[in-house]
Amino acid sequence: MAVDIYRDPSRSAVERADDLLARMTLDEKLAQLGGVWITDLVADVRFDEAKARERLAHGAGHITRLAAATGLRPAASAALANAVQAFLRDHTRLGIPAIVHEEACAGYMARDATCFPQAIGQAATWDPALIEEMARVIRHQMRAVGAHHALAPVLDITRDPRWGRVEETCGEDAYLVTRIGCAYIAGLQGETLEDGVIATAKHFLGYGLSEGGLNWAPARLMPRELLEVVAAPFEAAIAEVGVLSVMNAYQELDGVPCGASRSLMVELLRERLGFDGVVVSDYFSLATLVSYHRVAADRGQAAGLGLEAGIDVELPEHDCYGAPLREALAAGDVDPALVDASVRRLLLQKLRLGLFEQPFVDAERAPLVFDTPEQRQLARTLAQRSIVLLHDDAGLLPLAGELQRIAVIGPGADDVRLQQGDYHYPAHVEVMFESQGDLPAPTPLVAANRAALSEQFPPMVSLLEGIRGAAGSAVSVEHARGCDVASDDTSGFAAAVAASKRAQLAIVVVGDRSGLTDDATCGEARDRADIGLPGVQRALVEAVVDSGTPVVLLLMGGRPLALGELASRVGSLLAVWLPGAEGGNAVADVLFGHAEPGGRLPISFPHSSAQLPVYYGHKPSGGRSHWKGDYVDGPTTPLYPFGHGRGYTSFAYDDLAIEPAEVAAEGHLSVSLTLRNTGARAGDEVVQLYLRDPVASVTRPVAELKGFVRVHLAPGESRRITFELSPALMAFHDTSMELVVEPGEIEVMVGASSADVRLRGAFTITGAASPVRQKVFCSDVAVA
């Protein structure tokens, strides 16, 4: 008996997809265009066949958040995924498997999965290889439980810390975002998709540059900035690592919501940038075309706009792409060919994932790849390398061995929840309780999620616990909370000040509470007009400083905080971001000198909220007030610039060589230097290469990051670092909006930050202005 083509693994994915599409009814096609919440398929956290017969009668494109929404542990989560796939195979006409999607911004967002630092902390490592290693862990954990599609990474450029989702991004610079993002995608998708997990580049496009730092607000972007800065990480992700999924942004560009923009999602994304994967909608974004943006009269019209814009799959569930789309098709308002095109793209993805041959996983073995000692060590290393020493003017760090009494003060000192971001698992369990009135009914689903919350999933190490462990039994470590994150209650100040007076050193831990609930001070939809310390935390720091005890101040949160003159009043200041499960150990490692604070800022720290936005790569006319320079009441420069970070040793930059001095547009050149550790300790330095086109046919940024490398050197050790460049790195859109490389001098700046340039030179691009035939996204670097 002949095997159906779509079931025959010896045939190509294209042949199989075309055969399957030809067999499908309209109901079966529409079922592929959306997700089904796992909570609609379970009763008492067990697969419910009666519910499945109702919700999966014609199949499903995606299953939404199987592990994240149930609170199940890996073995049970895998077994549930198997049950869903078995039902689809055995009880639907065509037996099409579903893709299970989950969140994975800072680790697989599921119970018992390894909790890594939030994305902004990942970027602060300036270590793409480490991020790729982290993403491989996420891939193994997701695949083990039958999940195939991660809604990460975030490739948004952001320059406004008022925006609550800054923590999910890699910061202000397109080059850094590109390198960190591509590393994540490579590690997640793997060498072959049969063993990989689909990565989702989001949010296309401009989401992180909204008016006033407000979530979902319009983005004011000009064409060059859109193409050269905001789209650059997406373009690289498509060209370099073949990202398989893209998610639309919520906001509008020039009057057109991204999810309804054919010019953005088809003409730019698919036709110009070459994306050929599946576009998934951000959650509920098609419905916002009716209720929020008001460009569609009803959900049927919204469905048509979405399909015309190339949105293939509606997430998290069928809203517009269900009955409203069916009605619009019947009325002749939507072209059926659009449905076929989207279904075909999704079927191709499922075939390339190998789901038709192997939709099941070994549930008993799933826990073996969850939160292993090796994975915990990786989380600890990543957290260590993300910590940025902003200053140590008093020379307090690393902590001296003669310390006998330490006070650890502040709301973040002994609260592991504050070490986690809005896309760590606790935040999503919390928002589920908040949105459903705290779910008072004692159902098994509620019990599973409450248990997960109480168990911290996985176990976390607080900063206080880490410091006590590193200090040892001979050191007295006294703790006083002082205040809460956002409360006005100062009743704990007296105990905090008293503890600091009894100590030789006070370690004060303050910052934000990240999440999605109303009590969160950063995270999705938790935007702030004032990015100073929330509540009375600033007053707490001032009170401890006034006690006369030397202060090491730790900022723990997902965004730069504006400290103004307070920064200069503390002896040492560190940004520890949202460090995840091993945050306590990692911070202690750095404080006591067992690890180097080698992180560097992925985003500038402002003096005050009134400066925003403030970023290094502005145009020649930006970043200052002509002709005086500063504001009347403050500086225009940041408190700490992009790329900034100190360490426990010192480095010398010498012997800059640029060869050749003149190069054609299609040629190559090298920029070399010698880096030497001139201090008494081993340490890390992040060598940063910036270029500038000082005279061009259109204005160009005052500096552009075009290469970096993190180097570890022993005392007295030196290494020769060579960046291999193409002049095409300096391509831009000229007055005719053609992408060109123009002749002329290019300034070279190498240093320790965007404002700490140690070596300067130049090379000249010769010849005439040259159209770019092959886009170049990065430089290569060698350390010898």
Side-chain angles (χ1 to χ4, degrees):
M1 183 176 178
V3 177
D4 293 335
I5 291 175
Y6 82 91
R7 296 183 185 273
D8 184 354
S10 69
R11 306 296 283 264
S12 71
V14 170
E15 291 176 302
R16 296 173 72 185
D18 288 343
D19 176 69
L20 182 52
L21 184 63
R23 299 171 185 268
M24 295 174 75
T25 66
L26 177 60
D27 285 332
E28 289 165 338
K29 292 175 182 178
L30 296 184
Q32 293 298 310
L33 294 184
V36 176
W37 277 101
I38 188 60
T39 48
D40 290 341
L41 302 175
V42 297
D44 297 343
V45 205
R46 293 185 177 88
F47 182 72
D48 188 310
E49 187 169 316
K51 289 185 176 182
R53 288 187 182 279
E54 178 183 351
R55 296 305 307 273
L56 300 180
H58 302 292
H62 278 231
I63 300 298
T64 296
R65 305 264 289 278
L66 188 149
T70 60
L72 292 175
R73 288 203 145 97
S77 176
L80 179 56
N82 285 343
V84 172
Q85 300 289 19
F87 180 89
L88 289 169
R89 181 192 64 183
D90 299 336
H91 297 287
T92 61
R93 188 176 72 90
L94 296 171
I96 302 172
I99 288 175
V100 175
H101 77 256
E102 302 277 7
E103 299 284 0
C105 183
Y108 174 31
M109 200 180 77
R111 193 171 178 184
D112 294 338
T114 308
C115 181
F116 293 103
Q118 179 63 298
I120 194 72
Q122 296 167 31
T125 69
W126 291 58
D127 193 340
L130 193 64
I131 303 310
E132 185 171 347
E133 187 177 353
M134 177 199 74
R136 285 196 292 269
V137 170
I138 297 170
R139 165 161 53 98
H140 294 321
Q141 291 181 348
M142 290 185 67
R143 268 293 190 168
V145 296
H148 324 98
H149 188 140
L151 303 184
V154 172
L155 299 184
D156 294 311
I157 307 295
T158 186
R159 293 165 175 170
D160 193 335
R162 292 175 297 180
W163 187 46
R165 301 191 79 171
V166 165
E167 65 183 75
E168 299 171 46
T169 78
C170 293
E172 74 180 52
D173 179 75
Y175 190 91
L176 181 61
V177 171
T178 294
R179 303 281 33 99
I180 298 295
C182 284
Y184 178 98
I185 294 165
L188 191 71
Q189 294 190 166
E191 294 184 2
T192 63
L193 192 53
E194 288 84 355
D195 299 316
V197 168
I198 294 166
T200 305
K202 63 185 191 183
H203 306 82
F204 202 82
L205 193 62
Y207 184 36
L209 297 171
S210 62
E211 288 181 349
L214 295 170
N215 202 38
W216 293 20
R220 306 291 187 188
L221 288 167
M222 295 295 100
R224 285 184 184 82
E225 185 177 17
L226 186 77
L227 293 173
E228 296 173 4
V229 177
V230 184
F234 294 88
E235 186 173 7
I238 294 163
E240 288 193 345
V241 290
V243 69
L244 294 164
S245 181
V246 167
M247 178 182 283
N248 68 281
Y250 284 116
Q251 97 293 340
E252 68 165 76
L253 286 172
D254 195 22
V256 182
C258 296
S261 176
R262 177 175 174 80
S263 66
L264 186 69
M265 306 301 298
V266 176
E267 294 171 11
L268 176 58
L269 178 62
R270 292 197 182 277
E271 296 173 4
R272 182 165 181 165
L273 304 188
F275 178 69
D276 62 359
V278 172
V279 173
V280 297
S281 79
D282 206 341
Y283 278 21
F284 315 109
S285 62
L286 291 180
T288 70
L289 302 180
V290 182
S291 61
Y292 188 76
H293 294 293
R294 303 187 183 276
V295 295
D298 53 44
R299 280 169 164 72
Q301 187 180 3
L305 290 173
L307 283 171
E308 288 169 5
I311 307 294
D312 296 314
V313 179
E314 182 180 20
L315 300 183
E317 60 186 341
H318 290 85
D319 188 354
C320 299
Y321 279 2
L325 176 56
R326 168 179 271 285
E327 293 170 6
L329 287 163
D333 296 332
V334 176
D335 184 353
L338 295 172
V339 172
D340 287 354
S342 288
V343 172
R344 184 176 184 273
R345 281 193 284 263
L346 183 61
L347 294 176
L348 279 169
Q349 201 166 77
K350 291 184 175 185
L351 288 160
R352 289 166 177 161
L353 279 165
L355 293 182
F356 283 78
E357 284 65 60
Q358 186 49 272
F360 306 115
V361 293
D362 186 337
E364 291 184 1
R365 293 186 59 81
L368 299 180
V369 299
F370 274 75
D371 213 32
T372 66
E374 295 78 13
Q375 293 166 351
R376 292 290 291 220
Q377 182 56 52
L378 176 61
R380 184 169 180 167
T381 300
L382 208 159
Q384 289 169 352
R385 296 187 185 181
S386 72
I387 296 170
V388 182
L389 178 59
L390 297 170
H391 79 245
D392 185 31
D393 294 346
L396 301 178
L397 299 177
L399 298 181
E402 61 268 19
L403 279 175
Q404 296 180 322
R405 300 180 307 281
I406 299 173
V408 182
I409 294 167
D414 194 29
D415 188 341
V416 294
R417 177 61 185 84
L418 300 183
Q419 296 171 204
Q420 301 169 72
D422 66 343
Y423 276 80
H424 285 113
Y425 192 21
H428 284 259
V429 178
E430 291 165 358
V431 80
M432 182 174 70
F433 289 156
E434 180 184 74
S435 65
Q436 299 187 33
D438 204 30
L439 294 175
T443 67
L445 181 63
V446 173
N449 279 290
R450 286 197 185 282
L453 265 180
S454 66
E455 293 162 9
Q456 302 168 13
F457 45 80
M460 305 277 290
V461 180
S462 74
L463 271 62
L464 178 63
E465 183 182 357
I467 290 167
R468 281 180 168 156
S473 58
V475 179
S476 170
V477 179
E478 184 176 357
H479 170 240
R481 184 174 178 85
C483 66
D484 291 329
V485 168
S487 170
D488 293 331
D489 184 4
T490 61
S491 61
F493 279 27
V497 171
S500 70
K501 287 181 176 180
R502 288 189 289 267
Q504 296 166 281
L505 177 82
I507 300 171
V508 184
V509 189
V510 294
D512 274 313
R513 185 187 195 280
S514 175
L516 298 92
T517 51
D518 289 349
D519 60 346
T521 62
C522 69
E524 186 172 2
R526 305 308 297 143
D527 314 315
R528 289 178 57 206
D530 182 353
I531 58 166
L533 285 168
V536 293
Q537 292 182 91
R538 183 184 183 95
L540 173 66
V541 177
E542 290 171 338
V544 175
V545 169
D546 290 342
S547 74
T549 303
V551 171
V552 175
L553 183 63
L554 306 182
L555 299 177
M556 190 159 65
R559 68 171 114 223
L561 292 171
L563 299 181
E565 78 286 350
L566 180 62
S568 64
R569 297 193 64 203
V570 299
S572 299
L573 177 61
L574 299 97
V576 299
W577 310 108
L578 297 160
E582 286 291 321
N585 285 329
V587 168
D589 292 338
V590 168
L591 292 176
F592 285 90
H594 305 312
E596 175 79 2
R600 299 295 184 264
L601 290 182
I603 185 170
S604 303
F605 266 61
H607 286 270
S608 72
S609 303
Q611 282 184 295
L612 300 175
V614 57
Y615 57 98
Y616 88 93
H618 56 77
K619 295 296 185 68
S621 61
R624 61 194 173 100
S625 175
H626 186 71
W627 69 96
K628 297 289 189 181
D630 284 335
Y631 293 106
V632 171
D633 52 354
T636 55
T637 54
L639 178 62
Y640 298 108
F642 174 82
H644 172 78
R646 303 300 187 196
Y648 294 156
T649 189
S650 57
F651 295 90
Y653 291 65
D654 296 299
D655 305 324
L656 179 68
I658 302 172
E659 298 176 342
E662 296 184 350
V663 60
E666 64 275 10
H668 289 83
L669 71 149
S670 65
V671 176
S672 301
L673 67 135
T674 298
L675 180 73
R676 185 173 74 259
N677 185 339
T678 56
R681 293 175 54 99
D684 288 9
E685 178 74 330
V686 178
V687 179
Q688 301 165 41
L689 170 68
Y690 296 88
L691 301 181
R692 181 190 183 197
D693 188 343
V695 180
S697 59
V698 298
T699 62
R700 304 301 302 145
V702 297
E704 297 178 80
L705 181 70
K706 294 298 181 184
F708 64 87
V709 63
R710 183 166 178 154
V711 183
H712 183 80
L713 296 179
E717 184 181 9
S718 64
R719 303 291 290 272
R720 190 70 178 167
I721 297 167
T722 301
F723 295 96
E724 298 289 344
L725 311 177
S726 164
L729 275 171
M730 297 304 291
F732 60 86
H733 293 83
D734 65 11
T735 55
S736 300
M737 287 303 293
E738 184 176 8
L739 187 64
V740 300
V741 176
E742 287 189 348
E745 183 182 74
I746 301 296
E747 296 175 0
V748 175
M749 298 162 282
V750 181
S753 82
S754 59
D756 185 5
V757 175
R758 307 290 182 88
L759 299 171
R760 296 181 182 271
F763 63 89
T764 300
I765 301 174
T766 61
S770 304
V772 173
R773 297 180 180 84
Q774 182 67 44
K775 191 91 177 272
V776 176
F777 300 102
C778 70
S779 58
D780 295 322
V781 62
V783 180

